[in-house]
Amino acid sequence: MAENSHKRVIPVADQRPGTLAVPASALQPATLLPANGLLNDTRGRALHDLRISVTDRCNFRCSYCMPKDVFTKDYPYLPHSSLLTFEEITRVAKQFVAHGVEKIRLTGGEPLLRKNLEILIEQLAALRTPAGQPLDLTLTTNGSLLTRKAAALKAAGLNRLTVSLDGLDDAVFRAMNDVDFPVKDVLDGIEAAHKAGLGPIKVNMVVKRGTNDAQILPMARHFKGTGIVLRFIEYMDVGATNGWRMNDVLPSAEVIQRLQQELPLIPLEAAQPGETAQRWGYANAAGAHDKDAGEIGVISSVTQAFCSDCNRARLSTEGQLYLCLFATQGYNLRDLLRGGRSDAELASAIAHIWQGRQDRYSELRSAEGPAPAGDGKRRVEMSYIGG
Ligand code: SAM
Protein backbone atom coordinates (compact mmCIF):
# COMPACT_ATOMS: atom_id res chain seq x y z
CA MET A 1 0.00 0.00 0.00
CA ALA A 2 1.29 3.50 -0.82
CA GLU A 3 0.43 4.40 2.79
CA ASN A 4 3.50 2.70 4.24
CA SER A 5 5.79 2.81 1.27
CA HIS A 6 7.66 6.07 1.87
CA LYS A 7 10.57 6.31 4.26
CA ARG A 8 9.58 7.74 7.59
CA VAL A 9 11.71 8.97 10.44
CA ILE A 10 10.09 7.67 13.57
CA PRO A 11 11.44 8.12 17.07
CA VAL A 12 11.93 4.87 18.98
CA ALA A 13 9.27 5.96 21.45
CA ASP A 14 7.27 9.08 21.90
CA GLN A 15 8.34 11.17 24.88
CA ARG A 16 5.66 13.03 26.73
CA PRO A 17 6.61 16.65 27.22
CA GLY A 18 7.24 18.35 30.52
CA THR A 19 4.60 20.58 31.98
CA LEU A 20 4.29 24.30 32.46
CA ALA A 21 3.65 25.67 35.91
CA VAL A 22 0.45 27.60 36.47
CA PRO A 23 1.47 31.28 36.90
CA ALA A 24 1.96 32.00 40.63
CA SER A 25 -0.08 35.21 40.36
CA ALA A 26 -3.11 33.11 39.39
CA LEU A 27 -3.24 31.64 42.87
CA GLN A 28 -2.56 34.72 44.99
CA PRO A 29 -5.62 36.19 46.70
CA ALA A 30 -4.85 39.74 45.46
CA THR A 31 -4.74 38.67 41.82
CA LEU A 32 -7.38 35.95 41.71
CA LEU A 33 -9.46 36.32 38.56
CA PRO A 34 -13.10 35.30 38.98
CA ALA A 35 -15.10 33.80 36.11
CA ASN A 36 -17.43 36.29 34.44
CA GLY A 37 -18.37 34.33 31.33
CA LEU A 38 -16.01 36.29 29.06
CA LEU A 39 -12.35 35.51 28.65
CA ASN A 40 -10.03 36.80 25.91
CA ASP A 41 -6.43 35.92 25.11
CA THR A 42 -3.61 38.28 24.02
CA ARG A 43 -5.00 38.25 20.45
CA GLY A 44 -8.56 39.00 21.51
CA ARG A 45 -9.72 35.41 20.99
CA ALA A 46 -12.58 34.38 23.28
CA LEU A 47 -12.67 31.02 25.04
CA HIS A 48 -15.64 29.09 23.68
CA ASP A 49 -14.82 25.39 23.14
CA LEU A 50 -13.22 22.79 25.39
CA ARG A 51 -11.97 19.47 24.06
CA ILE A 52 -11.41 16.80 26.66
CA SER A 53 -9.33 13.71 25.99
CA VAL A 54 -10.65 10.89 28.15
CA THR A 55 -8.10 8.24 27.16
CA ASP A 56 -4.78 8.07 25.30
CA ARG A 57 -5.60 4.56 24.04
CA CYS A 58 -7.23 3.61 20.76
CA ASN A 59 -8.20 0.34 19.08
CA PHE A 60 -7.18 1.72 15.64
CA ARG A 61 -3.62 2.33 14.44
CA CYS A 62 -4.16 4.96 11.75
CA SER A 63 -0.69 5.68 10.41
CA TYR A 64 -1.31 9.45 10.45
CA CYS A 65 -2.19 9.40 14.14
CA MET A 66 -1.01 6.31 16.08
CA PRO A 67 1.36 4.41 13.76
CA LYS A 68 1.68 0.75 14.65
CA ASP A 69 5.46 0.78 14.81
CA VAL A 70 5.41 3.41 17.60
CA PHE A 71 2.20 2.57 19.45
CA THR A 72 3.07 -1.05 20.15
CA LYS A 73 1.88 -3.08 23.13
CA ASP A 74 4.96 -1.84 24.97
CA TYR A 75 4.14 1.83 24.45
CA PRO A 76 4.02 3.64 27.82
CA TYR A 77 0.33 4.51 27.92
CA LEU A 78 -0.79 6.48 30.93
CA PRO A 79 -1.55 4.41 34.01
CA HIS A 80 -5.13 4.64 35.26
CA SER A 81 -4.05 6.65 38.32
CA SER A 82 -2.74 9.43 36.03
CA LEU A 83 -6.06 9.89 34.26
CA LEU A 84 -8.42 12.55 35.54
CA THR A 85 -11.41 10.93 37.20
CA PHE A 86 -14.90 11.82 35.95
CA GLU A 87 -15.39 13.99 39.04
CA GLU A 88 -12.13 15.83 38.34
CA ILE A 89 -13.03 16.34 34.69
CA THR A 90 -16.46 17.69 35.61
CA ARG A 91 -14.97 20.02 38.21
CA VAL A 92 -12.57 21.52 35.65
CA ALA A 93 -15.27 21.66 32.98
CA LYS A 94 -17.55 23.58 35.35
CA GLN A 95 -14.92 26.31 35.72
CA PHE A 96 -14.48 26.48 31.94
CA VAL A 97 -18.22 26.85 31.50
CA ALA A 98 -18.25 29.68 34.05
CA HIS A 99 -15.60 31.36 31.85
CA GLY A 100 -17.80 31.18 28.75
CA VAL A 101 -17.28 27.71 27.28
CA GLU A 102 -20.50 26.60 25.59
CA LYS A 103 -19.30 23.56 23.72
CA ILE A 104 -17.52 20.48 25.05
CA ARG A 105 -16.19 17.71 22.84
CA LEU A 106 -15.03 14.40 24.31
CA THR A 107 -12.23 12.81 22.39
CA GLY A 108 -9.02 10.83 22.77
CA GLY A 109 -7.59 8.27 21.85
CA GLU A 110 -10.89 6.52 21.32
CA PRO A 111 -13.30 7.98 23.90
CA LEU A 112 -15.69 5.03 23.79
CA LEU A 113 -12.90 2.85 25.20
CA ARG A 114 -13.13 4.74 28.50
CA LYS A 115 -15.18 2.58 30.85
CA ASN A 116 -18.55 3.98 31.95
CA LEU A 117 -18.20 7.09 29.78
CA GLU A 118 -21.97 7.55 30.07
CA ILE A 119 -21.47 8.60 33.70
CA LEU A 120 -19.18 11.45 32.63
CA ILE A 121 -21.66 12.46 29.93
CA GLU A 122 -24.44 12.60 32.51
CA GLN A 123 -22.33 14.84 34.73
CA LEU A 124 -21.36 17.19 31.88
CA ALA A 125 -24.91 17.31 30.52
CA ALA A 126 -26.07 18.68 33.88
CA LEU A 127 -23.80 21.76 33.60
CA ARG A 128 -25.36 25.09 32.63
CA THR A 129 -23.83 28.20 31.03
CA PRO A 130 -23.98 31.49 32.96
CA ALA A 131 -27.14 32.23 30.93
CA GLY A 132 -28.68 28.97 32.20
CA GLN A 133 -28.38 27.09 28.90
CA PRO A 134 -27.28 23.45 28.51
CA LEU A 135 -23.98 22.84 26.75
CA ASP A 136 -23.47 21.73 23.19
CA LEU A 137 -22.08 18.34 24.21
CA THR A 138 -20.50 16.21 21.53
CA LEU A 139 -17.96 13.47 20.97
CA THR A 140 -15.55 12.33 18.25
CA THR A 141 -15.26 8.59 17.73
CA ASN A 142 -13.91 6.07 15.24
CA GLY A 143 -17.37 4.49 15.35
CA SER A 144 -16.16 0.98 16.13
CA LEU A 145 -18.18 0.68 19.35
CA LEU A 146 -21.15 2.80 18.36
CA THR A 147 -23.63 0.05 17.55
CA ARG A 148 -23.26 -1.12 21.14
CA LYS A 149 -23.15 2.28 22.80
CA ALA A 150 -25.20 4.81 20.81
CA ALA A 151 -28.46 4.40 22.76
CA ALA A 152 -26.73 4.66 26.16
CA LEU A 153 -24.81 7.77 25.04
CA LYS A 154 -28.03 9.44 23.96
CA ALA A 155 -29.79 8.46 27.19
CA ALA A 156 -26.91 9.93 29.20
CA GLY A 157 -27.42 13.32 27.54
CA LEU A 158 -25.08 13.38 24.53
CA ASN A 159 -26.53 15.67 21.84
CA ARG A 160 -24.65 14.76 18.69
CA LEU A 161 -21.40 13.25 17.47
CA THR A 162 -18.69 13.14 14.84
CA VAL A 163 -17.54 9.84 13.37
CA SER A 164 -14.19 9.46 11.64
CA LEU A 165 -14.23 7.47 8.41
CA ASP A 166 -11.44 7.72 5.84
CA GLY A 167 -13.07 5.95 2.90
CA LEU A 168 -15.81 3.62 1.68
CA ASP A 169 -13.53 1.19 -0.08
CA ASP A 170 -13.02 -1.61 2.42
CA ALA A 171 -9.43 -2.37 1.45
CA VAL A 172 -8.42 1.30 1.65
CA PHE A 173 -10.13 1.78 5.00
CA ARG A 174 -8.74 -1.43 6.52
CA ALA A 175 -5.23 -0.38 5.47
CA MET A 176 -5.66 3.12 6.90
CA ASN A 177 -6.94 2.00 10.29
CA ASP A 178 -4.21 -0.69 10.17
CA VAL A 179 -6.18 -3.09 12.36
CA ASP A 180 -8.24 -4.53 9.49
CA PHE A 181 -11.47 -2.92 10.74
CA PRO A 182 -14.26 -3.08 8.10
CA VAL A 183 -16.14 -0.06 6.72
CA LYS A 184 -19.49 -1.78 7.23
CA ASP A 185 -19.16 -1.80 11.02
CA VAL A 186 -18.55 1.97 11.08
CA LEU A 187 -21.52 2.56 8.77
CA ASP A 188 -23.64 0.39 11.08
CA GLY A 189 -22.44 2.51 14.00
CA ILE A 190 -23.48 5.70 12.20
CA GLU A 191 -26.89 4.16 11.54
CA ALA A 192 -27.22 3.18 15.21
CA ALA A 193 -26.35 6.74 16.27
CA HIS A 194 -28.97 8.09 13.88
CA LYS A 195 -31.60 5.68 15.19
CA ALA A 196 -30.75 6.61 18.77
CA GLY A 197 -31.57 10.22 17.92
CA LEU A 198 -28.04 11.62 18.02
CA GLY A 199 -27.72 14.44 15.55
CA PRO A 200 -26.67 16.23 13.52
CA ILE A 201 -24.02 13.60 12.75
CA LYS A 202 -20.78 14.66 11.11
CA VAL A 203 -18.29 12.39 9.38
CA ASN A 204 -14.60 13.34 9.30
CA MET A 205 -12.35 12.08 6.53
CA VAL A 206 -8.62 12.80 6.75
CA VAL A 207 -7.36 13.02 3.18
CA LYS A 208 -3.88 11.72 2.38
CA ARG A 209 -2.68 12.22 -1.16
CA GLY A 210 -2.02 8.90 -2.86
CA THR A 211 -3.62 6.93 -0.03
CA ASN A 212 -7.34 7.70 0.09
CA ASP A 213 -7.89 10.73 -2.16
CA ALA A 214 -9.74 8.48 -4.65
CA GLN A 215 -12.35 8.12 -1.88
CA ILE A 216 -13.34 11.80 -1.92
CA LEU A 217 -16.07 11.47 -4.54
CA PRO A 218 -17.48 8.10 -3.38
CA MET A 219 -17.74 9.49 0.17
CA ALA A 220 -19.50 12.65 -1.06
CA ARG A 221 -21.93 10.65 -3.21
CA HIS A 222 -22.68 8.32 -0.29
CA PHE A 223 -23.48 11.01 2.29
CA LYS A 224 -25.13 13.57 -0.01
CA GLY A 225 -28.80 13.96 0.89
CA THR A 226 -28.56 11.90 4.09
CA GLY A 227 -28.44 14.82 6.53
CA ILE A 228 -24.91 13.76 7.52
CA VAL A 229 -22.29 16.46 7.03
CA LEU A 230 -19.09 15.08 5.53
CA ARG A 231 -15.93 17.03 6.33
CA PHE A 232 -12.60 16.64 4.57
CA ILE A 233 -9.61 17.28 6.83
CA GLU A 234 -6.17 18.18 5.56
CA TYR A 235 -3.55 15.77 6.86
CA MET A 236 -1.75 17.71 9.61
CA ASP A 237 1.76 17.67 11.04
CA VAL A 238 0.42 17.03 14.51
CA GLY A 239 2.57 15.06 16.96
CA ALA A 240 6.02 13.67 16.22
CA THR A 241 5.43 10.12 15.07
CA ASN A 242 3.46 10.19 11.82
CA GLY A 243 6.35 11.11 9.48
CA TRP A 244 4.31 13.99 8.03
CA ARG A 245 5.38 15.41 4.66
CA MET A 246 3.79 18.29 2.79
CA ASN A 247 3.66 16.08 -0.33
CA ASP A 248 1.08 13.89 1.44
CA VAL A 249 -1.28 16.82 2.01
CA LEU A 250 -4.10 17.27 -0.49
CA PRO A 251 -5.10 20.94 -0.13
CA SER A 252 -8.80 21.56 0.52
CA ALA A 253 -8.92 23.75 -2.60
CA GLU A 254 -8.14 20.63 -4.61
CA VAL A 255 -10.80 18.63 -2.75
CA ILE A 256 -13.39 21.26 -3.69
CA GLN A 257 -12.16 21.34 -7.29
CA ARG A 258 -12.50 17.56 -7.61
CA LEU A 259 -15.99 17.59 -6.10
CA GLN A 260 -17.13 20.47 -8.30
CA GLN A 261 -16.44 18.41 -11.43
CA GLU A 262 -19.39 16.18 -10.55
CA LEU A 263 -21.27 17.80 -7.68
CA PRO A 264 -21.66 21.59 -7.98
CA LEU A 265 -21.05 23.42 -4.71
CA ILE A 266 -21.55 26.94 -3.44
CA PRO A 267 -19.82 28.50 -0.42
CA LEU A 268 -21.96 28.92 2.71
CA GLU A 269 -21.59 31.35 5.59
CA ALA A 270 -19.97 30.08 8.79
CA ALA A 271 -22.62 28.91 11.24
CA GLN A 272 -20.57 30.16 14.19
CA PRO A 273 -17.46 32.29 14.70
CA GLY A 274 -14.32 30.21 15.18
CA GLU A 275 -15.75 27.26 13.23
CA THR A 276 -13.00 24.90 12.07
CA ALA A 277 -14.68 23.91 8.80
CA GLN A 278 -15.44 26.06 5.78
CA ARG A 279 -18.92 25.10 4.66
CA TRP A 280 -20.02 24.35 1.09
CA GLY A 281 -23.59 23.56 0.06
CA TYR A 282 -24.68 21.32 -2.81
CA ALA A 283 -26.14 23.55 -5.50
CA ASN A 284 -29.41 22.99 -7.37
CA ALA A 285 -29.91 23.63 -11.08
CA ALA A 286 -30.54 27.33 -10.37
CA GLY A 287 -27.19 27.61 -8.55
CA ALA A 288 -28.81 28.03 -5.12
CA HIS A 289 -28.19 25.86 -2.08
CA ASP A 290 -30.18 22.63 -2.27
CA LYS A 291 -30.88 22.12 1.42
CA ASP A 292 -32.17 18.58 0.92
CA ALA A 293 -28.86 17.61 -0.68
CA GLY A 294 -27.05 19.14 2.30
CA GLU A 295 -23.53 20.38 2.71
CA ILE A 296 -19.90 19.39 3.16
CA GLY A 297 -17.05 21.04 5.02
CA VAL A 298 -13.31 21.37 4.53
CA ILE A 299 -10.87 21.79 7.39
CA SER A 300 -7.72 23.40 6.06
CA SER A 301 -5.40 23.75 9.01
CA VAL A 302 -2.35 23.38 6.74
CA THR A 303 -3.15 25.52 3.70
CA GLN A 304 -5.46 28.11 5.28
CA ALA A 305 -4.59 28.47 8.93
CA PHE A 306 -7.49 29.53 11.12
CA CYS A 307 -5.56 30.56 14.23
CA SER A 308 -6.94 34.09 14.16
CA ASP A 309 -10.30 33.06 15.59
CA CYS A 310 -9.34 29.81 17.34
CA ASN A 311 -11.43 29.63 20.49
CA ARG A 312 -10.49 26.12 21.63
CA ALA A 313 -8.75 24.88 24.76
CA ARG A 314 -7.73 21.27 25.26
CA LEU A 315 -7.59 19.21 28.41
CA SER A 316 -5.32 16.19 28.08
CA THR A 317 -6.09 12.78 29.51
CA GLU A 318 -4.01 13.52 32.61
CA GLY A 319 -5.24 17.06 33.16
CA GLN A 320 -2.78 19.24 31.27
CA LEU A 321 -4.31 22.32 29.72
CA TYR A 322 -3.09 22.88 26.14
CA LEU A 323 -3.74 26.09 24.26
CA CYS A 324 -2.99 24.76 20.78
CA LEU A 325 -3.19 21.40 19.02
CA PHE A 326 0.45 21.90 18.04
CA ALA A 327 1.69 22.88 21.50
CA THR A 328 4.79 21.33 23.00
CA GLN A 329 3.75 21.77 26.63
CA GLY A 330 0.61 22.08 28.73
CA TYR A 331 -0.26 23.58 32.10
CA ASN A 332 -0.67 21.14 34.94
CA LEU A 333 -4.22 21.51 36.26
CA ARG A 334 -4.20 18.05 37.82
CA ASP A 335 -1.77 19.24 40.49
CA LEU A 336 -4.25 21.96 41.42
CA LEU A 337 -7.11 19.48 41.52
CA ARG A 338 -5.21 16.99 43.63
CA GLY A 339 -3.42 19.66 45.70
CA GLY A 340 -6.50 20.90 47.52
CA ARG A 341 -6.99 24.10 45.52
CA SER A 342 -10.45 25.71 45.61
CA ASP A 343 -12.78 26.19 42.64
CA ALA A 344 -11.99 29.93 42.77
CA GLU A 345 -8.26 29.15 42.43
CA LEU A 346 -8.92 26.72 39.61
CA ALA A 347 -11.02 29.29 37.78
CA SER A 348 -8.34 31.92 38.29
CA ALA A 349 -5.63 29.59 36.95
CA ILE A 350 -7.67 29.00 33.78
CA ALA A 351 -8.24 32.74 33.38
CA HIS A 352 -4.56 33.69 33.80
CA ILE A 353 -3.46 30.95 31.41
CA TRP A 354 -5.98 31.85 28.70
CA GLN A 355 -5.29 35.58 29.04
CA GLY A 356 -1.60 34.89 28.38
CA ARG A 357 -2.30 32.75 25.30
CA GLN A 358 -0.34 33.69 22.17
CA ASP A 359 -0.25 30.43 20.15
CA ARG A 360 -0.72 30.54 16.39
CA TYR A 361 1.28 27.57 15.19
CA SER A 362 -0.55 27.01 11.89
CA GLU A 363 -0.14 30.64 10.84
CA LEU A 364 3.58 30.47 11.59
CA ARG A 365 3.83 27.17 9.73
CA SER A 366 2.27 28.85 6.69
CA ALA A 367 4.80 31.68 6.94
CA GLU A 368 7.91 29.77 7.97
CA GLY A 369 7.25 26.09 7.24
CA PRO A 370 6.75 23.29 9.75
CA ALA A 371 8.78 23.32 12.95
CA PRO A 372 11.87 21.20 12.30
CA ALA A 373 12.03 17.74 13.85
CA GLY A 374 14.55 17.33 16.64
CA ASP A 375 14.40 20.97 17.73
CA GLY A 376 13.99 19.85 21.33
CA LYS A 377 10.34 20.90 21.28
CA ARG A 378 8.48 17.76 20.49
CA ARG A 379 4.80 18.35 19.83
CA VAL A 380 2.35 16.22 21.77
CA GLU A 381 0.56 13.36 20.09
CA MET A 382 -3.05 13.88 19.07
CA SER A 383 -4.06 10.67 20.86
CA TYR A 384 -2.85 12.24 24.13
CA ILE A 385 -4.08 15.79 23.75
CA GLY A 386 -7.33 14.83 21.98
CA GLY A 387 -8.22 15.51 18.34
N1 SAM B 1 -10.61 8.09 18.07
C1 SAM B 1 -11.48 9.16 17.74
C2 SAM B 1 -11.66 9.24 16.24
O1 SAM B 1 -11.12 8.40 15.53
O2 SAM B 1 -12.38 10.13 15.79
C3 SAM B 1 -11.11 10.52 18.32
C4 SAM B 1 -9.68 10.93 18.34
S1 SAM B 1 -8.98 11.27 16.75
C5 SAM B 1 -7.36 11.80 17.25
C6 SAM B 1 -9.81 12.75 16.27
C7 SAM B 1 -9.73 13.12 14.82
O3 SAM B 1 -8.43 13.52 14.52
C8 SAM B 1 -10.09 12.02 13.86
O4 SAM B 1 -11.06 12.49 12.95
C9 SAM B 1 -8.78 11.75 13.16
O5 SAM B 1 -8.99 11.28 11.86
C10 SAM B 1 -8.13 13.10 13.20
N2 SAM B 1 -6.67 13.08 13.02
C11 SAM B 1 -5.77 12.35 13.69
N3 SAM B 1 -4.53 12.59 13.25
C12 SAM B 1 -4.64 13.51 12.27
C13 SAM B 1 -3.71 14.17 11.40
N4 SAM B 1 -2.40 13.92 11.46
N5 SAM B 1 -4.20 15.07 10.53
C14 SAM B 1 -5.52 15.33 10.45
N6 SAM B 1 -6.44 14.75 11.23
C15 SAM B 1 -6.01 13.84 12.12
Side-chain angles (χ1 to χ4, degrees):
M1 205 59 234
E3 174 69 5
N4 291 317
S5 62
H6 64 262
K7 264 198 155 179
R8 295 191 287 138
V9 180
I10 295 173
V12 176
D14 168 38
Q15 291 164 0
R16 256 174 221 108
T19 58
L20 295 166
V22 171
S25 55
L27 305 173
Q28 282 157 12
T31 43
L32 274 192
L33 282 175
N36 64 3
L38 271 180
L39 202 55
N40 286 305
D41 72 5
T42 58
R43 300 180 185 278
R45 297 171 295 190
L47 174 61
H48 184 269
D49 285 17
L50 178 64
R51 297 198 177 182
I52 303 174
S53 172
V54 293
T55 176
D56 61 341
R57 292 162 195 259
C58 188
N59 52 344
F60 283 14
R61 285 292 174 273
C62 306
S63 63
Y64 55 75
C65 188
M66 294 183 75
K68 218 174 201 168
D69 34 9
V70 175
F71 293 88
T72 61
K73 67 176 180 14
D74 298 324
Y75 182 82
Y77 294 102
L78 294 170
H80 196 72
S81 59
S82 294
L83 271 52
L84 291 192
T85 64
F86 291 163
E87 286 66 32
E88 287 171 333
I89 291 174
T90 305
R91 201 179 147 210
V92 178
K94 193 172 176 187
Q95 306 315 315
F96 272 96
V97 172
H99 277 305
V101 161
E102 294 179 348
K103 175 174 160 189
I104 291 186
R105 176 179 297 281
L106 300 180
T107 177
E110 172 48 43
L112 299 188
L113 289 181
R114 180 86 185 246
K115 218 170 151 198
N116 298 324
L117 188 73
E118 300 79 8
I119 295 174
L120 175 64
I121 290 173
E122 264 174 31
Q123 293 176 3
L124 296 175
L127 298 178
R128 291 293 175 269
T129 68
Q133 296 302 310
L135 300 177
D136 176 8
L137 189 56
T138 182
L139 174 150
T140 304
T141 174
N142 61 25
S144 60
L145 298 169
L146 258 186
T147 35
R148 262 187 273 161
K149 300 207 166 190
L153 295 171
K154 174 69 183 172
L158 190 72
N159 304 135
R160 60 189 184 88
L161 48 73
T162 299
V163 181
S164 304
L165 178 62
D166 294 331
L168 283 178
D169 181 283
D170 206 44
V172 170
F173 182 62
R174 283 176 192 256
M176 280 191 87
N177 63 55
D178 216 5
V179 292
D180 213 23
F181 198 85
V183 170
K184 182 179 179 306
D185 290 17
V186 179
L187 294 177
D188 287 350
I190 294 172
E191 182 61 25
H194 177 68
K195 282 203 177 120
L198 289 161
I201 296 174
K202 292 179 182 161
V203 169
N204 278 354
M205 172 179 170
V206 175
V207 182
K208 265 190 98 173
R209 191 192 286 280
T211 299
N212 66 337
D213 53 329
Q215 293 299 301
I216 293 170
L217 267 166
M219 286 282 281
R221 287 183 205 120
H222 182 85
F223 289 110
K224 185 179 170 210
T226 62
I228 290 173
V229 178
L230 173 61
R231 294 158 358 138
F232 300 95
I233 307 182
E234 284 178 354
Y235 169 44
M236 294 185 284
D237 53 332
V238 75
T241 58
N242 65 9
W244 183 88
R245 303 178 314 171
M246 188 65 203
N247 284 352
D248 296 331
V249 177
L250 189 88
S252 294
E254 208 175 317
V255 172
I256 296 295
Q257 207 179 30
R258 290 195 194 183
L259 290 171
Q260 293 272 32
Q261 285 170 10
E262 179 182 319
L263 305 164
L265 294 163
I266 55 165
L268 302 177
E269 293 287 316
Q272 281 170 0
E275 205 169 37
T276 48
Q278 288 167 309
R279 301 169 59 213
W280 291 78
Y282 289 110
N284 59 22
H289 182 201
D290 175 355
K291 294 205 168 102
D292 291 336
E295 63 180 80
I296 57 121
V298 287
I299 301 180
S300 323
S301 159
V302 178
T303 61
Q304 281 174 278
F306 40 81
C307 304
S308 62
D309 57 0
C310 175
N311 54 20
R312 283 171 291 286
R314 293 182 145 84
L315 187 65
S316 80
T317 317
E318 54 179 345
Q320 315 277 345
L321 173 58
Y322 285 88
L323 303 178
C324 176
L325 180 56
F326 299 94
T328 52
Q329 288 184 305
Y331 293 87
N332 192 338
L333 296 189
R334 192 185 61 192
D335 276 0
L336 302 186
L337 288 165
R338 297 187 180 172
R341 294 292 184 173
S342 66
D343 282 356
E345 287 171 318
L346 195 53
S348 177
I350 293 166
H352 278 259
I353 293 167
W354 187 266
Q355 285 187 346
R357 178 184 187 240
Q358 300 189 10
D359 305 63
R360 53 187 194 105
Y361 174 81
S362 296
E363 279 180 4
L364 296 175
R365 181 219 297 109
S366 303
E368 300 164 9
D375 62 351
K377 293 185 188 165
R378 179 165 291 168
R379 291 191 296 273
V380 283
E381 295 303 320
M382 204 161 181
S383 49
Y384 166 76
I385 196 176

